[in-house]
Amino acid sequence: MSTDAVTALALHNPETNAFWAGLIEGRFLVRRCEDCGEAHWYPRAICPFCSSSRTGWQEASGRGVIYSYSIMRRAKVPYAIAFVSLAEGPTMMTNIVDCDFEALAIGQPVKLAIRRREDGLALPMFTPA
Amino acid sequence: MSIKGKAYIAGAFEHPTRKAPDKSVAQLHAEVALGALADAGLSKDDVDGYFCAGDAPGTGPLSMLEYMNLKVRHVDSTNIGGSSYIAHVAHAAQAIALGKCNVALITLAGRPRSDGSSTGAAPRRDNPEQPDFLWESLFGMETLNAYAMCAMRHMYEFGTTSEQLAWIKVAASHHAQHNPNAMLRNLVTVDEVLASPVIADPLHRLDSCVVSDGGGALIVTKPEIARSLKRPLVKVMGAGEAVKHQSGGQVDLTYSAAVRSGAIAFEEAGVRPADIKYVSLYDSFTITVLVQLEDLGFCRKGEGGRFVADGNLISGQGRLPFNTDGGGLCNNHPVHRGGMTKVIEAVRQLRGEAHPAVQVPNCDVALAHGTGGLISMRHGGATLIMERE
Ligand SMILES: [Zn+2]
């Protein structure tokens, strides 16, 4: 898919467009259930734990720790992919940026680093805290 | 109700090709179908059930049934990635036990190599409509780094080493040297695996499977028909399937769906891991094998590294011979879907038809397990236990 098509997909999905719109404005949102209280990932209208429809957006702290990671060395420009466990609970897939790849470690604290693409979409990435 | 003893694998065929630029995908499906029927001693008109997955061209079985001009009364296109064909054997046994069909044909075929996919990891074919799409594709997730993160976490939690993972590739290469159709027939050492380039930490190039064209097919039939044929009897004893995913963000990369599918299969078959003489394990990457060995109960969680070391998976040397055809790591990984070839080599072992250099003596009970999809993310696990009668 072209980057424009992916951006259109992000901004026009009725279930999750608020997440991407929020990130463009610098707000990193997680979805939390108002009935069971649990935050989940990726964001859904219906709570994956208790099936409640009473879920809402909450601005997250942007803090987390690396659960696992890998440096994709086969890529033209190597990059770090990771699972980051957020302070709010859920673990999400992301990239670790602005870092020394060789110094990354599981358990390392990281903080949000929003990356903006040329087409305007903003992505929730992380950097060592 | 159980499928135990209700069905037999009467025909098995692996396409000898590894690169087929001169054949269509449908043609390859038909070739493997005819190969399995010939192996069983049956003809196309005997087939009354057909099973295929996402590699079959067209909508489920429709196009392939028309192409092969088959008239069946039972179809199933369960698609759980590379584990589909192992689940298909179980589903065929269920259908046979219920009288829905008598002779089930299962096919897998394709030509990713001829179509330009050259790296040792499956390309991702995401559908933008799938709900997980944006949350992974935007971060450069590929099959390779999804499995690499699983290996990284296993090393962190249990102290597993790259040397231990390398032993899995070494064992596969020991077996592949005897397979004239294998893509990689050269014997490799632990040092050679470790000296190959790291492509996604901690996985090396030689921790990855091959990409190949080709395919395979199976015939599953009811006991009366199986006994009327001239082939050794391979009985379906038990099967299990499960799907594991990210559980709403409660991610745990240390185990796979095999924990659940294996337990179900062992219970149905009435055997224990210690009874298994030969295993076919999905080997998209070395880490896949290691996690499955633990999850199926061949060793305790976290002890897979020690279990695979020092040649323990090599036929004639170790305690648990695995993938004696060379597996996906060395022999063949048609269409990036290794479940079919896993069953085929288990059938060869149970029939006593594996290469003499790798044939397991008195191989009476065997297990085949597949992990389809992405072990770190969504994947299907399918376990099948078979017995020589
Ligand atoms: Zn809830």
Side-chain angles (χ1 to χ4, degrees):
Chain A
M1 285 181 92
S2 69
T3 55
D4 287 352
V6 172
T7 299
L9 191 70
L11 298 179
H12 297 293
N13 181 316
E15 194 177 4
T16 55
N17 56 2
F19 174 89
W20 301 102
L23 208 63
I24 288 170
E25 294 165 5
R27 289 181 300 123
F28 175 49
L29 304 173
V30 296
R31 195 83 177 170
R32 190 179 287 281
C33 176
E34 292 163 23
D35 279 324
C36 74
E38 292 291 324
H40 63 264
W41 191 267
Y42 51 84
R44 284 157 234 195
I46 297 169
C47 173
F49 304 119
C50 76
S51 305
S52 168
S53 304
R54 298 197 333 121
T55 58
W57 298 107
Q58 174 196 46
E59 187 156 0
S61 64
R63 300 273 162 186
V65 297
I66 296 176
Y67 173 79
S68 193
Y69 71 98
S70 178
I71 314 303
M72 192 67 167
R73 298 190 193 267
R74 202 178 63 187
K76 278 191 193 112
V77 179
Y79 58 92
I81 196 164
F83 280 108
V84 165
S85 299
L86 301 174
E88 287 74 17
T91 296
M92 65 176 282
M93 179 170 283
T94 184
N95 295 125
I96 310 295
V97 295
D98 293 337
C99 63
D100 173 6
F101 289 157
E102 311 308 321
L104 291 179
I106 289 175
Q108 185 175 5
V110 291
K111 62 184 182 193
L112 184 70
I114 294 175
R115 282 289 171 275
R116 292 174 192 282
R117 304 193 333 168
E118 282 182 10
D119 63 1
L121 193 68
L123 303 181
M125 298 182 177
F126 289 78
T127 191
Chain B
M1 188 173 179
S2 163
I3 58 171
K4 185 176 180 177
K6 301 281 172 56
Y8 289 71
I9 300 174
F13 180 77
E14 178 187 358
H15 205 296
T17 191
R18 299 294 179 264
K19 190 165 188 183
D22 54 340
K23 293 180 194 290
S24 75
V25 173
Q27 184 181 3
L28 290 168
H29 273 268
E31 287 184 358
V32 294
L34 294 174
L37 283 166
D39 180 60
L42 292 165
S43 78
K44 127 183 163 14
D45 295 334
D46 296 314
V47 176
D48 61 354
Y50 179 58
F51 296 70
C52 62
D55 54 286
T59 301
L62 298 183
S63 293
M64 282 316 306
L65 285 172
E66 178 175 69
Y67 181 93
M68 296 188 284
N69 195 23
L70 292 176
K71 295 172 179 68
V72 300
R73 59 192 178 104
H74 189 83
V75 292
D76 181 332
S77 52
T78 299
N79 186 20
I80 46 173
S83 60
S84 303
Y85 320 92
I86 298 174
H88 288 166
V89 174
H91 295 184
Q94 292 161 16
I96 289 163
L98 289 171
K100 301 295 180 187
C101 62
N102 292 327
V103 176
L105 166 68
I106 307 165
T107 66
L108 155 88
R111 27 168 286 164
R113 213 172 150 213
S114 295
D115 291 332
S117 167
S118 60
T119 58
R124 298 194 40 75
R125 285 199 198 86
D126 283 318
N127 172 358
E129 290 300 321
Q130 68 193 60
D132 44 78
F133 177 79
L134 288 169
W135 314 98
E136 297 166 5
S137 65
L138 286 170
F139 304 106
M141 186 187 74
E142 295 183 15
T143 305
L144 174 59
N145 53 19
Y147 280 76
M149 284 193 284
C150 174
M152 193 68 96
R153 186 73 197 185
H154 204 279
M155 290 179 168
Y156 173 82
E157 291 215 20
F158 307 116
T160 306
T161 66
S162 289
E163 288 82 356
Q164 290 169 335
L165 289 177
W167 270 109
I168 297 168
K169 171 73 171 189
V170 169
S173 80
H174 267 265
H175 301 146
Q177 65 178 326
H178 305 293
N179 182 350
N181 293 325
M183 283 181 69
L184 305 176
R185 294 188 66 194
N186 56 318
L187 210 53
V188 300
T189 64
V190 167
D191 286 344
E192 284 167 341
V193 177
L194 299 182
S196 69
V198 173
I199 48 178
D201 304 59
L203 297 179
H204 300 75
R205 190 170 58 79
L206 292 184
D207 284 302
S208 316
C209 61
V210 299
V211 170
S212 58
D213 298 351
L218 295 163
I219 302 293
V220 184
T221 189
K222 63 180 183 179
E224 296 83 350
I225 294 177
R227 291 197 185 97
S228 75
L229 303 170
K230 294 183 176 64
R231 305 296 279 132
L233 289 168
V234 174
K235 182 162 63 179
V236 174
M237 292 290 285
E241 57 196 80
V243 172
K244 182 176 176 252
H245 48 66
Q246 299 175 83
S247 304
Q250 297 180 350
V251 173
D252 184 343
L253 298 188
T254 60
Y255 72 97
S256 75
V259 168
R260 284 190 285 143
S261 70
I264 295 166
F266 277 114
E267 185 179 352
E268 184 167 46
V271 299
R272 297 171 304 134
D275 298 318
I276 304 295
K277 303 284 174 49
Y278 165 81
V279 286
S280 283
L281 294 175
Y282 208 95
D283 54 351
S284 44
F285 299 92
T286 51
I287 183 65
T288 321
V289 175
L290 187 129
V291 169
Q292 293 167 144
L293 280 167
E294 295 174 344
D295 292 346
L296 292 167
F298 291 105
C299 61
R300 282 193 297 196
K301 180 53 67 183
E303 293 183 356
R306 266 162 285 163
F307 185 84
V308 302
D310 304 320
N312 202 33
L313 302 177
I314 300 174
S315 187
Q317 292 183 35
R319 208 169 85 207
L320 187 66
F322 100 118
N323 297 7
T324 41
D325 59 340
L329 288 168
C330 295
N331 172 26
N332 189 16
H333 194 213
V335 213
H336 315 297
R337 288 165 169 260
M340 173 62 73
T341 45
K342 297 295 163 286
V343 180
I344 292 172
E345 182 66 5
V347 169
R348 289 193 194 107
Q349 281 287 351
L350 291 166
R351 286 174 169 178
E353 293 178 355
H355 189 282
V358 297
Q359 175 67 49
V360 176
N362 306 315
C363 185
D364 54 352
V365 187
L367 179 149
H369 178 81
T371 296
L374 298 169
I375 205 166
S376 292
M377 322 296 289
R378 299 157 296 285
H379 64 271
T383 311
L384 178 68
I385 298 173
M386 296 148 278
E387 184 184 62
R388 186 191 61 213
E389 187 172 285

